[in-house]
């Protein structure tokens, strides 16, 4: 490379990328990989701080606030997820740091998974699959009755891109859609509830697809679960801490709610073991978006955001802070 | 008629059995020892005008021939392959069944099986319960469902309901039916083979007849291919089961969601260790809501017959 050829721009990484992402992006950007240095993180950052303008955040691990503080030239954090509760957005706002997220690349897969979990919980797909594989069908006869989905009232908590995609799918099953959001959406005809408890009391199913913030922490608490009732089903594809997990487990054990489909938990990858014996619960390890298609789209989006930033063009998926 | 004598072939569900017992004179075929069925039928034949059967066991030739007073056969289900229809026609026996009330549940399950098979929901649940998420890290990537082409074999009430739901996921729809349907925009293919070659998720929702036996054969399965998904919510014998098992075992077919099997309740054991298949025990309409609706429809039809009123849902 001749001395006059510009170096690829630097991008800070706190943790390794997926190998395929690293391979695709390394040609265009120079990754500064903090874990490859023998220096403690803070010393390493002190050395490189002046030139670091972009941080690529590849996981859901929290970005420590003191990392942001030690990078005076930081102007952009590129996230790899839709939810940004692991990034100190208030600090970014204060310091004029832009943040991009995964935009709508995960919308379809998350919505599909929410509906898949819901049908599974109501119709006992995983539970009766276990029943068949254990050889019980010839021995013990038919599986007990389950619950119909079509026509049931679906209450969506958080009618953003993902919540809307879930609503669109379930409308085709004849499900009336109700919702709670920070503000009422003028362009939708679904019934709006300013209060989540009221939403729960008029719903047969609650689907949680809102962002995790200080306000929405434990938004699904014991009161909401009791309002949903003994036949109610909760599906969570948002963030674990949106639900009071200890109360959820208690309500399930005591039959205060009918069932749950959970892709996220308060302390991942720890899942309350009381749930392992339940047939009215379906569990997955934060895998709603794990498809090659969405990862391909994510890579394209991350690349677009980085290229836009370094060529002074508008970002592809900026988040309002 | 003073009373309607009803033969119930198999228990079906407690509510139906109780109501049949309350409203009519009920004979329970399973109360006779298997070897003494003929004697049981012959002994009670003078009192039996109606037979209620299900997808598990229906009014077959033997039963019909032993019941000279038989006037009406009621099938708990919309699939009537277990009823000897030609015999009923010959004898002038009315046949009623349960269309429409089963449509939603069956279509819901078809979509649930498709998503569960492609996204490996059951296996991911197993993975978590086994402690592997903590121990070994994230589950692997699975196949996206939205936007995949869904091919429907049999565009009847259930097939149409599956199509409507799949459209909500942005899935292009194509179909194969005995004849092209005039009022749809879906692409028509004249054979199961062409349908399979042009879709990624093939949903089997046609009736079982002599013509459709093994309509999903080795050729069709291979046309669907290593990325294809077969969902069967119709009848087991619509699919060549040994060919299906072999294709799933060696990757010639990508995945399957199966509610029905050739010899229920027996499911090929080779499938038990596969993570790309979802196996459910013929639960297509087994919700509290729908089984009650089906039961009420059977009871309503029998009441109508007893009172010489028009039948609610006659096949003929």
């Amino acid at each position: 490379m001749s001395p006059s050829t510009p170096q690829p721009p630097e991008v800070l990484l706190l943790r390794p990328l997926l190998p395929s992402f690293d391979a695709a992006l390394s040609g265009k950007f120079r990754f500064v990989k903090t874990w490859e240095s023998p220096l403690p993180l803070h010393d390493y950052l002190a050395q490189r701080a002046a030139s670091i303008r972009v941080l690529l955040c590849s996981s859901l691990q929290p970005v420590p606030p003191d990392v942001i503080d030690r990078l005076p030239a930081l102007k952009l954090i590129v996230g790899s997820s839709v939810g940004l509760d692991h990034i100190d957005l208030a600090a970014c706002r204060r310091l004029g740091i832009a943040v991009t997220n995964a935009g709508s690349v995960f919308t379809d897969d998350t919505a599909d998974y929410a509906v898949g979990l819901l049908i599974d919980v109501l119709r006992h797909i995983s539970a009766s699959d276990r029943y068949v594989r254990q050889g019980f069908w010839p021995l013990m006869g038919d599986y007990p009755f389950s619950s119909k989905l079509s026509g049931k009232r679906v209450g969506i908590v958080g009618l953003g891109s993902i919540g809307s995609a879930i609503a669109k799918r379930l409308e085709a099953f004849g499900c009336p859609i109700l919702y709670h959001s920070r503000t009422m959406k003028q362009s939708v005809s679904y019934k709006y509830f300013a209060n989540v408890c009221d939403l729960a009391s008029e719903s047969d199913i609650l689907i949680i697809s809102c962002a995790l913030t200080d306000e929405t922490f434990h938004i699904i608490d014991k009161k909401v679960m009791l309002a949903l009732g003994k036949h109610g089903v909760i599906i969570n594809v948002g963030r674990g801490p949106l639900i009071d997990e200890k109360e959820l487990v208690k309500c399930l054990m005591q039959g205060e709610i009918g069932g749950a489909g959970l892709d996220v938990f308060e302390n991942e990858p720890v899942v309350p073991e009381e749930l392992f014996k339940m047939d009215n619960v379906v569990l997955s390890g934060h895998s709603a978006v794990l498809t090659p298609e969405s990862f391909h789209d994510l890579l394209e989006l991350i690349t677009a955001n980085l290229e836009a930033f370094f060529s002074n063009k508008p970002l592809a998926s900026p988040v309002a802070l | 008629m003073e009373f309607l004598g009803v033969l119930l072939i198999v228990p079906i569900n407690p509510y139906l059995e109780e109501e049949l017992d309350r409203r009519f004179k009920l004979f329970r075929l399973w109360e006779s020892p298997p070897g003494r069925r003929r004697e049981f039928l012959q002994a009670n034949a003078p009192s039996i005008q109606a037979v209620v059967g299900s997808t598990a066991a229906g009014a077959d030739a033997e039963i019909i021939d032993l019941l000279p007073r038989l006037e009406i056969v009621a099938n708990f289900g919309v699939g009537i392959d277990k009823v000897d229809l030609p015999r009923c026609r010959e004898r002038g026996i009315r046949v009623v069944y349960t269309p429409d009330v089963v449509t939603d549940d069956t279509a819901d399950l078809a979509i649930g099986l498709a998503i569960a098979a492609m996204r490996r929901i059951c296996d991911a649940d197993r993975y978590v319960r086994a402690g592997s998420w903590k121990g070994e890290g994230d589950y692997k990537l699975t196949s996206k469902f939205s936007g995949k082409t869904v091919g429907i074999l049999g565009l009847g009430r259930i097939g149409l309901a599956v199509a409507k739901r799949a459209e909500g996921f942005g899935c292009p729809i194509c179909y194969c039916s005995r004849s092209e349907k005039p009022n749809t925009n879906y692409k028509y293919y004249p054979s199961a083979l062409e349908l399979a070659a042009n879709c990624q998720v093939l949903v089997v929702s046609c009736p079982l007849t002599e013509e459709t036996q093994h309509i999903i054969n080795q050729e069709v399965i291979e046309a669907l291919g290593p990325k294809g998904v077969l969902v069967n919510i119709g009848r087991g014998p619509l699919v060549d089961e040994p060919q299906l098992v072999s294709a799933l075992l060696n990757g010639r077919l990508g995945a399957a969601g199966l509610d029905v099997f050739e010899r229920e309740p027996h499911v090929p054991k080779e499938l038990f260790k596969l993570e790309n298949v979802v196996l459910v025990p013929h639960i297509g309409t087994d919700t509290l809501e729908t089984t009650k609706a089906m039961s009420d429809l059977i009871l309503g039809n029998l009441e109508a017959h007893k009172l010489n009123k028009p039948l609610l849902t006659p096949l003929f």
Side-chain angles (χ1 to χ4, degrees):
Chain A
M1 197 186 290
S2 74
S4 59
T5 310
Q7 294 265 32
E10 283 187 332
V11 175
L12 181 68
L13 286 177
L14 300 176
R15 284 174 193 89
L17 292 174
L18 281 179
S20 57
F21 279 34
D22 195 311
L25 296 167
S26 298
K28 306 180 184 177
F29 308 101
R30 193 149 49 97
F31 286 129
V32 177
K33 298 178 175 176
T34 58
W35 64 92
E36 284 183 348
S37 163
L39 293 176
L41 180 62
H42 293 163
D43 295 340
Y44 183 66
L45 290 180
Q47 268 193 4
R48 305 300 303 267
S51 60
I52 299 293
R53 298 165 64 208
V54 179
L55 165 64
L56 173 54
C57 188
S58 61
S59 77
L60 298 179
Q61 302 275 13
V63 175
D66 56 355
V67 165
I68 296 178
D69 289 340
R70 283 163 199 273
L71 297 169
L74 187 65
K75 280 273 160 265
L76 171 66
I77 298 181
V78 174
S80 306
S81 55
V82 174
L84 296 173
D85 45 282
H86 57 300
I87 296 174
D88 187 345
L89 299 178
C92 292
R93 189 184 313 120
R94 202 174 55 241
L95 297 167
I97 299 169
V99 181
T100 60
N101 73 348
S104 61
V105 303
F106 292 149
T107 297
D108 283 345
D109 281 329
T110 312
D112 292 355
Y113 214 83
V115 175
L117 284 174
L118 177 58
I119 302 177
D120 193 326
V121 173
L122 284 174
R123 300 297 299 274
H124 298 148
I125 294 181
S126 286
S128 66
D129 173 281
R130 284 195 288 275
Y131 185 82
V132 170
R133 285 178 206 247
Q134 286 166 81
F136 290 152
W137 195 12
L139 284 179
M140 290 169 50
D142 288 340
Y143 197 81
F145 292 141
S146 59
S147 252
K148 183 170 178 167
L149 166 61
S150 278
K152 292 276 167 68
R153 302 164 302 174
V154 173
I156 298 181
V157 182
L159 201 69
S161 166
I162 293 171
S164 300
I166 292 170
K168 174 172 165 233
R169 283 151 176 73
L170 289 173
E171 280 191 292
F173 291 73
C175 294
I177 306 292
L178 324 165
Y179 75 104
H180 165 79
S181 228
R182 272 170 308 183
T183 52
M184 190 162 128
K185 314 264 170 181
Q186 296 300 339
S187 55
V188 305
S189 56
Y190 312 141
K191 186 171 177 192
Y192 173 72
F193 289 80
N195 175 297
V196 182
C197 253
D198 293 340
L199 176 70
S201 61
E202 283 194 37
S203 302
D204 302 303
I205 294 156
L206 275 187
I207 305 189
I208 319 304
S209 55
C210 60
L212 177 63
T213 64
D214 290 336
E215 291 77 41
T216 61
F217 177 79
H218 281 196
I219 190 173
I220 307 301
D221 57 14
K222 180 171 180 177
K223 252 184 93 195
V224 171
M225 290 187 246
L226 292 181
L228 183 62
K230 291 186 188 318
H231 298 294
V233 169
I234 296 181
I235 304 297
N236 191 2
V237 291
R239 285 285 179 271
L242 289 165
I243 298 183
D244 182 340
E245 200 163 276
K246 281 200 178 63
E247 271 310 323
L248 175 66
V249 173
K250 261 203 256 167
C251 283
L252 283 164
M253 289 181 67
Q254 290 163 4
E256 297 291 357
I257 62 168
L262 307 168
D263 186 47
V264 287
F265 302 87
E266 290 215 68
N267 186 22
E268 295 173 14
V270 175
V271 175
E273 288 187 17
E274 297 93 322
L275 301 178
F276 291 177
K277 296 185 218 77
M278 297 183 188
D279 281 343
N280 56 341
V281 165
V282 179
L283 308 166
S284 55
H286 209 145
S287 34
V289 307
L290 295 182
T291 66
E293 292 92 339
S294 70
F295 273 44
H296 169 267
D297 293 346
L298 176 65
L299 178 59
E300 269 189 2
L301 184 60
I302 286 176
T303 308
N305 276 307
L306 290 171
E307 287 179 342
F309 176 78
F310 287 117
S311 50
N312 276 320
K313 298 217 170 83
L315 298 167
S317 57
V319 168
L321 292 177
Chain B
M1 100 191 30
E2 254 188 51
F3 63 78
L4 188 69
V6 179
L7 174 77
L8 184 56
I9 301 179
V10 283
I12 303 182
N13 73 67
Y15 167 72
L16 177 61
E17 191 183 329
E18 277 158 27
E19 286 299 305
L20 286 171
D21 196 28
R22 199 171 62 79
R23 304 187 205 188
F24 310 110
K25 182 160 171 51
L26 182 62
F27 299 88
R28 297 171 175 81
L29 184 56
W30 67 93
E31 283 184 343
S32 98
R36 312 286 310 272
R37 249 177 53 140
R38 280 190 76 89
E39 284 89 333
F40 181 92
L41 289 168
Q42 279 163 337
N44 293 298
S47 311
I48 295 174
Q49 291 91 21
V51 168
V52 179
S54 75
T55 56
D60 56 18
E62 189 201 17
I63 289 176
I64 293 170
D65 288 348
L66 287 170
L67 300 174
R69 302 254 169 100
L70 186 57
E71 297 166 2
I72 180 168
V73 165
N75 186 70
F76 188 85
V78 69
I80 27 99
D81 45 283
K82 287 274 162 68
V83 178
D84 191 327
L85 296 176
R87 240 175 186 75
C88 289
R89 275 201 192 88
E90 267 166 37
R91 287 260 306 264
I93 295 168
R94 305 299 301 276
V95 175
V96 294
Y97 66 144
T98 61
D100 296 314
V101 295
V102 301
T103 301
D104 283 343
D105 265 359
T106 317
D108 292 355
L109 184 67
I111 300 292
L113 287 174
I115 301 177
M118 290 182 80
R119 300 300 312 273
R120 305 289 200 264
I121 293 185
C122 307
D123 198 56
D125 175 287
R126 229 187 317 275
Y127 187 79
V128 170
R129 286 178 205 242
S132 303
W133 189 26
K134 249 201 313 192
E136 294 159 39
D138 285 345
Y139 194 73
K140 59 189 172 176
L141 298 185
T142 57
S143 206
K144 181 170 180 164
F145 174 65
S146 272
K148 296 286 162 69
T149 302
V150 172
I152 301 177
L153 182 63
L155 203 67
R157 282 170 284 243
I158 293 172
L160 277 168
V162 173
K164 176 171 164 233
R165 283 153 177 74
E167 284 187 295
F169 294 78
C171 297
I173 308 293
C174 51
Y175 73 102
C176 170
S177 228
R178 273 169 307 185
S179 57
E180 203 170 342
K181 309 275 170 179
N183 297 324
T184 82
N185 288 330
Y186 307 144
K187 181 140 172 63
Y188 172 75
Y189 290 98
S191 72
L193 183 61
E194 282 168 89
L195 183 68
N198 287 283
C199 70
Q200 281 158 293
V201 183
L202 178 56
V203 178
V204 182
S205 63
C206 59
L208 176 64
T209 65
E210 273 170 27
E211 292 76 41
T212 61
Q213 176 104 286
H214 282 194
I215 189 172
I216 306 296
N217 56 20
Q218 181 188 0
E219 238 196 317
V220 173
I221 290 169
E222 289 188 355
L224 195 47
K227 294 210 165 105
V229 181
L230 182 72
V231 174
N232 191 1
I233 42 136
R235 285 288 180 267
L238 289 164
V239 176
D240 183 337
E241 202 160 273
Q243 285 298 335
L244 173 66
V245 172
S246 155
L248 284 166
L249 282 170
N250 58 37
R252 285 180 286 122
L253 177 65
L258 307 170
D259 186 37
V260 286
F261 304 87
E262 289 214 72
R263 289 187 324 115
E264 294 171 19
H266 299 287
V267 176
K269 289 195 169 58
E270 302 95 307
L271 298 177
F272 289 2
K273 59 182 188 297
L274 296 181
E275 44 93 327
N276 58 339
V277 68
V278 178
L279 308 165
V280 294
H282 206 146
I283 56 171
T285 60
D286 275 1
T287 63
L288 278 165
E289 296 93 334
T290 296
T291 52
K292 174 142 196 312
M294 292 164 77
S295 302
D296 285 340
L297 196 48
I298 296 283
L299 294 163
N301 272 293
L302 292 175
E303 291 277 5
H305 177 77
K306 180 175 164 187
L307 299 170
N308 244 324
K309 292 213 170 109
L311 299 176
L312 304 179
T313 46
L315 187 67
F316 51 75

